Amino acid sequence: MTGKPTVGFVGIGNMGWPMAASLIRAGYTVQVADTRRAQADNFVQQVGGYAADSLAALGAACDVVITMLPASTQVADVIADGADTLLAGLKPGSLLIDMTSGQPGVTRALAERVAAAGSRMIDAPVSGGVSRAKTAQLAIMVGGDPDAIARARPVLEAIGSSILPCGAVGAGQAMKALNNLVSAGGFLIGIEALLIGQKFGLDPGLMTDVLNVSTGMNNATQKKFRQFVLSRGFDSGFSLDLMVKDLSIATGIGKDVGTPAPFAALCREMWASALASLGPGQDHTAVAKFSELLAGLELAAE
């Protein structure tokens, strides 16, 4: 016996895989589930843990359950009524940690359902991408009851290096969406600056280096421009579809609280237009291709 709770992990995708792997490295017994059973089986073969036969079985076997899914709609499906859902097997007193970048209002309603079943739910979306998921250095924004957050903290510390309580349930997801709004705005303005500079005669790689030692520095200039745009790889591991979803959540929160945010609205529309132009399944860094299309110029590859 390790003394650690058994953890269920629902959603073994680009982010879920390394996050669940971090829990196993930290000594947790982990049961995994995914809509693609082969994905869960592959994880067990390559990393360890166990593949649950059903969501209900996972809930019955685990003390803590993490969901890491594309959107709140999938989380709602997992917690729905039915014989083969998480809620059907979840033991009273269990803790559900939703690490999905979801919609705060939906999450609050789901937390009430979980509470009615005798368990507790918090939200804990992450920032840092696949690279920081692999090294367990994610920033985790948490919303929920302080006692539930305290109970979750040892599990979260196996996944991330910064655990950031933000308020009541849903507050973590609101903070994550707003963080991605800032990140998305910085990316777009930086790409437009590179395009202007290249037309003037500046080298985009040189511009990136200058920005990174100047006041124009941001996450995109540091970790995305050379790595995924100027390399023409466009393979950061976070999709354009999900970025547009997060920006829609952020601007929706602005409308809900009555805060005028014209630049945020324009930013969201630019990313949504890129998605419509480039099509689904693109990496989020491919939004640079949309800016290139508008400028009639492709950034010089390194």
Side-chain angles (χ1 to χ4, degrees):
M1 295 291 291
T2 65
K4 297 177 182 288
T6 299
V7 180
F9 204 105
V10 182
I12 309 300
N14 288 342
M15 290 291 290
W17 183 297
M19 290 164 67
S22 293
L23 289 169
I24 290 176
R25 287 197 304 272
Y28 286 93
T29 299
V30 178
Q31 286 206 18
V32 298
D34 195 275
T35 53
R36 305 156 295 176
R37 177 56 191 249
Q39 181 81 346
D41 291 338
N42 287 340
F43 178 88
V44 171
Q45 292 169 7
Q46 296 181 39
V47 182
Y50 305 89
D53 291 329
S54 67
L55 289 173
L58 182 145
C62 298
D63 308 295
V64 176
V65 178
I66 293 172
T67 50
M68 184 63 175
L69 299 167
S72 290
T73 51
Q74 285 88 353
V75 179
D77 289 341
V78 165
I79 303 177
D81 293 327
D84 186 20
T85 68
L86 186 60
L87 205 60
L90 200 63
K91 298 181 295 186
S94 298
L95 176 63
L96 176 59
I97 306 173
D98 182 22
M99 304 192 79
T100 304
S101 295
Q103 296 173 276
V106 174
T107 299
R108 287 173 176 170
L110 294 176
E112 291 178 0
R113 294 195 64 196
V114 171
S119 295
R120 304 171 90 174
M121 178 177 176
I122 65 174
D123 64 298
V126 304
S127 180
V130 174
S131 61
R132 285 171 61 183
K134 290 178 178 178
T135 58
Q137 292 180 311
L138 293 167
I140 305 178
M141 293 150 269
V142 191
D145 179 81
D147 290 340
I149 293 174
R151 180 180 170 190
R153 184 174 285 273
V155 175
L156 297 178
E157 287 176 342
I159 297 172
S161 57
S162 299
I163 315 302
L164 307 164
C166 296
V169 170
Q173 291 174 339
M175 185 66 248
K176 169 61 188 295
L178 294 170
N179 172 79
N180 276 13
L181 172 62
V182 174
S183 177
F187 188 101
L188 272 186
I189 200 67
I191 290 296
E192 290 187 359
L194 294 191
L195 288 164
I196 293 169
Q198 182 170 312
K199 279 199 172 183
F200 178 81
L202 294 169
D203 175 72
L206 171 65
M207 290 188 68
T208 299
D209 292 341
V210 173
L211 289 169
N212 281 333
V213 293
S214 305
T215 57
M217 176 181 62
N218 62 33
N219 178 264
T221 66
Q222 289 181 310
K223 299 182 179 180
K224 297 178 182 179
F225 285 178
R226 280 192 180 277
Q227 296 87 335
F228 306 117
V229 178
L230 299 183
S231 70
R232 311 309 287 179
F234 303 109
D235 55 356
S236 73
F238 181 65
S239 76
L240 177 57
D241 308 62
L242 291 179
M243 180 61 91
V244 173
K245 178 210 71 173
D246 288 350
L247 297 180
S248 298
I249 292 172
T251 53
I253 294 170
K255 292 177 181 177
D256 290 343
V257 298
T259 302
F263 181 71
L266 176 60
C267 180
R268 186 263 171 204
E269 288 306 311
M270 287 288 293
W271 283 82
S273 295
L275 177 59
S277 175
L278 301 174
Q282 297 280 336
D283 190 84
H284 83 286
T285 57
V287 73
K289 296 180 182 179
F290 183 68
S291 294
E292 291 173 337
L293 179 65
L294 295 177
L297 174 72
E298 184 175 295
L299 289 168
E302 296 204 307

